[in-house]
Amino acid sequence: MDAFVTRKRRRIEETAPAIDDKLRNVDTASVREDVDSTDTKIATLASLFPDLELGFLLDLLMSVDGSVEESIETLEPSQAIRSARKRSAPSIGFQASLVSFRHKEGSVKSSGTNLLPLTRRGKTLHLYSPEDIAAHTPCSIVHNFLPVLEANELLEGLLAEATTFGRQTFKVFDNVVQSPHSACFYVENVEEQHKQKTEYLYNGSFLEDVRQLTPQMKSVSSRVQPVVNKEIANRIKSHYPDGKKLQYQSPEPWVPNAAFVNCYNGGAESVGYVPREFRIRKILARDDDEGEEKGNKNSRRTDAEGQIAIHLPHNSLLVMHAEMQEEFKHSIHPAAAIDPHPIAGNKRINVTYRYYRENFHPRYTPRCRCGVATVLRCVQRSM
């Protein structure tokens, strides 16, 4: 997993002979590994490989315990040239953690409200490491959540289930449209199964295919619950005012009692407002502007902040916290290239565990005078 977070495609455009000349002119033995400062070592590597970013060079230096000689051997010309040639083919990219570019540890407060936006309009910021995701989004991620064998068994079981999944249809401005991916809904028992089919409305209609959780999904659910509640507690302590829950946040612990399973077959299948990565976009601006034109300023700011892509490798647990629902919208974006998985191939299976609270039962849903229940829809424009 460390390789997934820290590996980065190298931008090398020098020819192999040019790099060879530089290497011959440097006496790596003269570099005093135990005396020279990190800045000196980075400067040495930067002079040899000017097209590589300093953050990447620092990560590389740390991975070999500060040895300049081993760093140079790692960046040998033949390997660099091969990496450059592969760059032209469509593939999944990687980047170093943003932690490498921080000026000082502790210089940026842990609260996300004090961070400047890192994205620009029309641009996508790609995040990989748990630290970056927690600092710059209302999410937290746990890599390698399940033991390998259990994760693979769950994937194989859901791939078999997915062959019978359907595509949901719904109306948009009186036009019947079909979901660009297949999915199915799972609940704990027969009683909940009946309730979901007869009491809960989704996009104005009832679900016909509601199933009971498979034994594997029930087992995973018992593992998910304590980890999610731990991540919620960490978020409250590190990001929320006075380390307390938000005003309208449920005081009860999170308890998964249902699950949506989505299947994306190939890079073209997606869901949401827009590469197979999970993307979020802010729809409410930070509440730090004052004056009569505050609404207009906030609209311009959210439009200018762009979007963030969170990459989810196999066996990842992503927790979306309270402010995610209020301030962001999310999607699974179509991908131009996919790295095939040894078990799933080009398919991607996502299990979304949900907590259906009793005080959110459909009997409390506002209704029109004609008796039709209202539908909560995602904001399509920035507020």
Side-chain angles (χ1 to χ4, degrees):
M1 186 54 60
D2 290 339
F4 174 84
V5 173
T6 61
R7 191 176 66 181
K8 184 174 182 177
R9 290 185 292 178
R10 299 165 187 157
R11 297 162 52 187
I12 300 295
E13 302 200 354
E14 284 193 82
T15 61
I19 299 178
D20 278 332
D21 292 339
K22 286 191 175 183
L23 292 178
R24 282 195 295 268
N25 293 330
V26 174
D27 182 9
T28 56
S30 65
V31 178
R32 297 173 294 174
E33 304 290 349
D34 56 338
V35 177
D36 289 342
S37 67
T38 301
D39 288 342
T40 302
K41 296 175 181 179
I42 291 294
T44 302
L45 292 174
S47 66
L48 294 172
F49 306 97
D51 290 324
L52 295 181
E53 296 180 6
L54 297 182
F56 171 74
L57 294 176
L58 177 59
D59 289 344
L60 175 63
L61 191 64
M62 293 175 62
S63 69
V64 294
D65 298 325
S67 172
V68 175
E69 186 172 4
E70 290 186 30
S71 299
I72 293 174
E73 290 177 355
T74 302
L75 296 172
E76 61 182 347
S78 58
Q79 181 180 1
I81 294 301
R82 284 197 301 269
S83 176
R85 287 173 179 170
K86 290 179 181 178
R87 193 170 64 245
S88 59
S91 62
I92 304 301
F94 300 89
Q95 73 182 31
S97 170
L98 294 178
V99 176
S100 306
F101 301 93
R102 292 179 184 170
H103 297 293
K104 290 182 180 179
E105 187 171 348
S107 63
V108 178
K109 295 183 180 180
S110 60
S111 174
T113 59
N114 294 320
L115 293 173
L116 294 176
L118 298 179
T119 57
R120 295 181 299 168
R121 185 174 185 176
K123 301 294 182 182
T124 301
L125 173 68
H126 296 262
L127 298 181
Y128 299 83
S129 74
E131 297 82 6
D132 293 338
I133 292 168
H136 302 289
T137 74
C139 303
S140 53
I141 191 170
V142 180
H143 289 141
N144 298 321
F145 172 64
L146 295 173
V148 176
L149 291 179
E150 188 173 348
N152 290 340
E153 288 176 359
L154 176 64
L155 176 60
E156 290 170 349
L158 292 178
L159 285 171
E161 288 271 320
T163 59
T164 61
F165 287 177
R167 296 176 183 266
Q168 187 179 2
T169 58
F170 49 93
K171 282 190 174 183
V172 177
F173 302 113
D174 294 329
N175 295 320
V176 177
V177 296
Q178 189 179 64
S179 172
H181 71 286
S182 58
C184 192
F185 189 53
Y186 292 79
V187 293
E188 290 183 319
N189 50 51
V190 176
E191 180 182 358
E192 289 298 323
Q193 189 176 17
H194 177 72
K195 286 182 179 180
Q196 287 290 339
K197 288 184 175 182
T198 58
E199 299 177 12
Y200 286 83
L201 289 170
Y202 294 89
N203 292 314
S205 60
F206 295 105
L207 292 179
E208 297 181 359
D209 188 5
V210 180
R211 309 179 188 182
Q212 293 187 56
L213 293 170
T214 66
Q216 292 171 320
M217 292 175 68
K218 286 184 178 180
S219 175
V220 173
S221 177
S222 64
R223 291 174 177 266
V224 168
Q225 181 175 344
V227 175
V228 169
N229 283 301
K230 179 181 177 181
E231 291 296 331
I232 292 174
N234 291 340
R235 185 77 180 185
I236 294 171
K237 182 178 179 181
S238 62
H239 285 72
Y240 296 170
D242 301 322
K244 299 179 181 179
K245 282 192 172 184
L246 302 177
Q247 182 178 359
Y248 298 106
Q249 192 170 358
S250 173
E252 303 297 327
W254 184 82
V255 181
N257 51 15
F260 268 103
V261 180
N262 301 294
C263 178
Y264 305 91
N265 188 6
E269 295 197 357
S270 60
V271 65
Y273 66 90
V274 229
R276 278 283 267 286
E277 72 264 11
F278 178 91
R279 290 189 178 184
I280 66 174
R281 183 181 180 187
K282 194 170 182 64
I283 56 176
L284 291 178
R286 296 173 177 83
D287 190 14
D288 56 2
D289 290 326
E290 297 181 357
E292 296 181 357
E293 298 182 357
K294 177 178 177 180
N296 293 333
K297 290 181 180 178
N298 283 351
S299 179
R300 289 195 295 268
R301 288 191 61 180
T302 53
D303 284 341
E305 285 190 19
Q307 58 189 358
I308 298 174
I310 301 175
H311 289 251
L312 305 176
H314 174 55
N315 198 12
S316 296
L317 174 66
L318 182 74
V319 181
M320 291 185 284
H321 295 285
E323 63 270 37
M324 178 73 175
Q325 178 110 3
E326 300 295 331
E327 300 178 3
F328 287 78
K329 55 184 178 181
H330 66 276
S331 71
I332 298 294
H333 202 283
I338 298 175
D339 288 341
H341 187 268
I343 297 176
N346 287 337
K347 288 186 177 180
R348 177 183 180 273
I349 296 288
N350 153 249
V351 183
T352 301
Y353 284 99
R354 289 184 174 178
Y355 177 23
Y356 276 74
R357 291 161 49 186
E358 181 59 29
N359 56 336
F360 281 175
H361 189 275
R363 61 176 169 269
Y364 302 117
T365 302
R367 292 181 177 270
C368 174
R369 285 177 295 180
C370 64
V372 177
T374 58
V375 177
L376 183 64
R377 295 191 183 277
C378 177
V379 172
Q380 299 300 321
R381 295 184 62 184
S382 299
M383 302 294 290

